[in-house]
Amino acid sequence: MSTARHGTEFTVRDAVFDFFRQTGLTTLFGNPGSTELRMFQDWPEDFTYVLGLQESVAVAAAAGHSLGTGRASVVSLHSAGGVGHSLGAVFNAYRDRVPLLVIAGQQSRAMLPTRPFLSADEPALFPRPYVKWSRQPERAEDVPAAFAEAYHVAMTPPRGPVFISVPEDDWDRPAHPVEPREVHAGFVGDPRALRELADALNSARNPTIIVGAGVDDDGASPAVIGLAERTGAAVWISPLSSRSGFPEDHRLFRGFLPPVRDQLARALEPYDVIVSIGAPIFTYHVHTEGPYLPEGARLFHLDCDPAQTAWAPVGTSVLTTIRAGVTALLELVDKADRPAPPPRPRLAAPPVTDPIEPALVVETLRGLMPDDAVLVEEVPSHRDVLHDRLPITRPGGFLTTGSGALGWGLPVAVGRALAGTGERVVCVVGDGSSMYSIQALWTAARHGAPVTFIVLNNQAYEAVKALGRRIDIPDVPGTDLHGIDFVSIAAGLGCPGRRVDRAADLAEALSHAFGQDGPFILDVSVAAGTSSAYSSPNDSGTR
């Protein structure tokens, strides 16, 4: 534990930075303002500050860093306006259960009664309900203890962002140091409930497992693979999952469930026992009528979040952390002798045409992407094509947003690349999505982040157009995006790049991009009107 600096009094700043140091939080992301200046005084040499040129970029980059390191990350924002700018990314972090310590500046306490310029009137309420915990401590000397509590809350399952507002004059006030507390994250569900689930699996005619983001988040993929192989259950990934969690080249893997109620129920018709693991399976994007599940099917839902289990409209919920619960369940389940489902057919090779088909980009990417690469996706128009043609085969190999607020992909990729784990990050992003957070290219360039950005450029918000077509609105205004020069924008932000207009140039361009040490962007012109956004009302329910 540190002592006072140079004989001066131990301050809030000393206590907070000592706490960060002891918990390994020595990389801070942020976008600074006047109400944070006192926090930055005497900036410690062993800390790194990663600047995002907009607040949502800073939050998403911190989230990518957290997803790479497996621990919380810290992000500093500017008072009310900066917090407001960031809230789309805070919403994504909350839905995706990313532990972040979000710090917001605030004007000096003596000024607050006069509602000063840049101040937040009710700072603890501003980011709610999309943080687990929020506070502006009543006294300056309470700030270090608030950080310790916030960290504990952020790291306790279900993990997620927390928020602290700190008046700018608090940082120089005297304070006492705080000790970090261990967060032991595993707990096992009710043994009677797990026994009931095991009995259902042991007697099932045809069971299935639905894997959600919680599996990858808790490092439970090996246990879930073991459960699938022991029971012979077919495995699906939940609708719009932000992670993978099961190897998509496994013989038991069947595909991705759609976020459409009737399609999802149809996809599950063959199964009599359904086990949802770390997955909110009733995540719908468009409304249809019909039952939630096939008639007669039994659903069991394993998750660590009591709120999520409470709003599940049907089924039996078991409150448990995923790895601990599935490991315990494995001891209760009999080895089943069920025939493996037929192998999923490999899709035919896409045509080599100009304009370039998105499927050709994905197939070429599959053949050239480094084996240990981490794929970050934010391409709503072509996510189905990407999943169908580029299987994720290892834990931690896939990241996207499970909540849908755009602007997540680019900065998450940058933060993930800065986590220091050595893999190259490949970010496949739409032209529309990328413009929500294009400033992240500057951060990538400044830090030499090993990211290949691939913009699938159809000059439109094509996913919105496709959903419009689905509900008989063929001409949606405000969905055309002509004339954006991504290579020039990237160059202005310090990131080299290249435009690809011809299919014949695609493989060479990708190889060149993967051969760079730092960031590189490919602006790939793809055919318009090719989105498969949840197909049509008569679709079979798989993608």
Side-chain angles (χ1 to χ4, degrees):
M1 181 64 63
S2 293
T3 58
R5 297 165 297 143
H6 310 300
T8 62
E9 194 169 37
F10 197 84
T11 66
V12 168
R13 185 188 310 104
D14 296 325
V16 170
F17 278 87
D18 274 357
F19 176 80
F20 287 164
R21 188 175 288 112
Q22 292 180 78
T23 48
L25 307 182
T26 57
T27 299
L28 273 71
F29 296 78
N31 185 272
S34 57
T35 56
E36 294 79 64
L37 288 178
R38 295 180 189 275
M39 173 185 173
F40 301 138
Q41 184 177 343
D42 298 326
W43 182 259
E45 293 183 357
D46 57 331
F47 278 66
T48 299
Y49 188 91
V50 179
L51 172 61
L53 300 185
Q54 204 267 359
E55 289 86 351
S56 63
V57 170
V59 170
H65 189 263
S66 174
L67 291 167
T69 62
R71 59 176 181 266
S73 289
V74 183
V75 58
S76 170
L77 305 176
H78 180 44
S79 192
V83 174
H85 289 163
S86 78
L87 286 182
V90 172
F91 167 70
N92 279 342
Y94 180 78
R95 291 288 196 214
D96 293 347
R97 299 180 181 177
V98 184
L100 297 178
L101 270 69
V102 181
I103 311 170
Q106 171 69 301
Q107 284 288 15
S108 298
R109 290 182 184 270
M111 298 171 65
L112 293 180
T114 61
R115 300 185 70 183
F117 188 66
L118 296 174
S119 67
D121 290 344
E122 297 186 61
L125 296 180
F126 198 0
R128 288 187 175 271
Y130 297 116
V131 290
K132 289 184 66 180
W133 177 101
S134 61
R135 186 166 303 166
Q136 179 172 289
E138 296 295 328
R139 306 178 304 166
E141 54 264 44
D142 298 329
V143 169
F147 273 97
E149 181 180 354
Y151 174 78
H152 197 279
V153 172
M155 291 296 291
T156 299
R159 303 193 302 177
V162 294
F163 176 86
I164 305 175
S165 171
V166 183
E168 57 121 13
D169 54 338
D170 283 6
W171 294 102
D172 292 323
R173 299 294 176 86
H176 296 289
V178 292
E179 294 281 355
R181 291 169 286 160
E182 294 292 332
V183 180
H184 296 287
F187 63 91
V188 180
D190 184 344
R192 293 171 299 177
L194 291 175
R195 179 74 263 176
E196 180 185 353
L197 170 53
D199 291 343
L201 284 170
N202 290 338
S203 61
R205 171 183 50 81
N206 189 21
T208 187
I209 293 170
I210 300 173
V211 171
V215 172
D216 203 18
D217 189 53
D218 200 23
S221 293
V224 172
I225 293 169
L227 180 65
E229 293 177 345
R230 189 164 182 80
T231 60
V235 178
W236 295 83
I237 290 180
S238 63
L240 301 173
S241 178
S242 63
R243 311 282 279 275
S244 179
F246 194 86
E248 296 169 22
D249 59 351
H250 194 283
R251 61 185 176 83
L252 293 173
F253 181 68
R254 306 316 295 154
F256 305 85
L257 292 172
V260 184
R261 183 163 159 178
D262 60 345
Q263 293 179 17
L264 189 150
R266 275 201 304 276
L268 297 177
E269 278 180 355
Y271 310 109
D272 60 333
V273 175
I274 302 165
V275 184
S276 171
I277 305 178
I281 68 169
F282 304 108
T283 300
Y284 306 129
H285 192 195
V286 294
H287 178 66
T288 60
E289 296 293 338
Y292 293 106
L293 296 173
E295 184 177 357
R298 297 183 66 191
L299 169 67
F300 293 86
H301 176 219
L302 276 66
D303 199 77
C304 64
D305 185 354
Q308 183 164 289
T309 61
W311 65 250
V314 295
T316 298
S317 295
V318 182
L319 194 62
T320 182
T321 51
I322 303 304
R323 183 169 48 181
V326 175
T327 300
L329 182 61
L330 267 170
E331 299 179 0
L332 304 174
V333 174
D334 299 334
K335 175 67 175 173
D337 185 21
R338 293 187 176 93
R344 300 177 75 213
R346 178 73 188 269
L347 297 175
V352 181
T353 58
D354 296 321
I356 304 169
E357 288 293 324
L360 180 64
V361 181
V362 176
E363 283 286 349
T364 309
L365 178 61
R366 178 178 182 173
L368 296 174
M369 191 169 72
D371 290 339
D372 65 344
V374 175
L375 179 66
V376 177
E377 175 269 320
E378 190 174 86
V379 57
S381 299
H382 309 299
R383 188 179 186 190
D384 293 355
V385 171
L386 186 144
H387 276 311
D388 287 343
R389 293 183 177 273
L390 205 168
I392 305 302
T393 60
R394 66 183 187 87
F398 175 73
L399 302 172
T400 188
T401 170
S403 54
L406 296 181
W408 188 243
L410 279 175
V412 161
V414 175
R416 177 62 184 83
L418 296 179
T421 53
E423 308 97 331
R424 188 158 191 89
V425 176
V426 178
C427 179
V428 182
V429 63
D431 52 333
S433 301
S434 66
M435 289 305 297
Y436 285 77
S437 54
I438 198 70
Q439 304 96 324
L441 295 178
W442 183 89
T443 303
R446 182 170 179 81
H447 292 272
V451 188
T452 300
F453 302 99
I454 303 169
V455 180
L456 299 187
N457 188 348
N458 53 23
Q459 300 188 68
Y461 292 127
E462 183 56 40
V464 178
K465 287 190 170 188
L467 285 170
R469 293 191 294 269
R470 190 182 192 281
I471 58 175
D472 297 322
I473 305 175
D475 298 310
V476 181
T479 54
D480 292 322
L481 301 175
H482 298 293
I484 301 175
D485 185 343
F486 286 96
V487 175
S488 294
I489 293 171
L493 295 170
C495 176
R498 174 176 172 181
R499 182 170 172 84
V500 182
D501 292 305
R502 299 171 58 245
D505 300 330
L506 182 60
E508 185 275 327
L510 279 169
S511 295
H512 176 77
F514 290 142
Q516 307 304 302
D517 291 330
F520 195 89
I521 189 169
L522 288 180
D523 177 10
V524 183
S525 178
V526 298
T530 56
S531 175
S532 59
Y534 318 138
S535 303
S536 68
N538 297 316
D539 186 74
S540 65
T542 60
R543 47 185 172 110

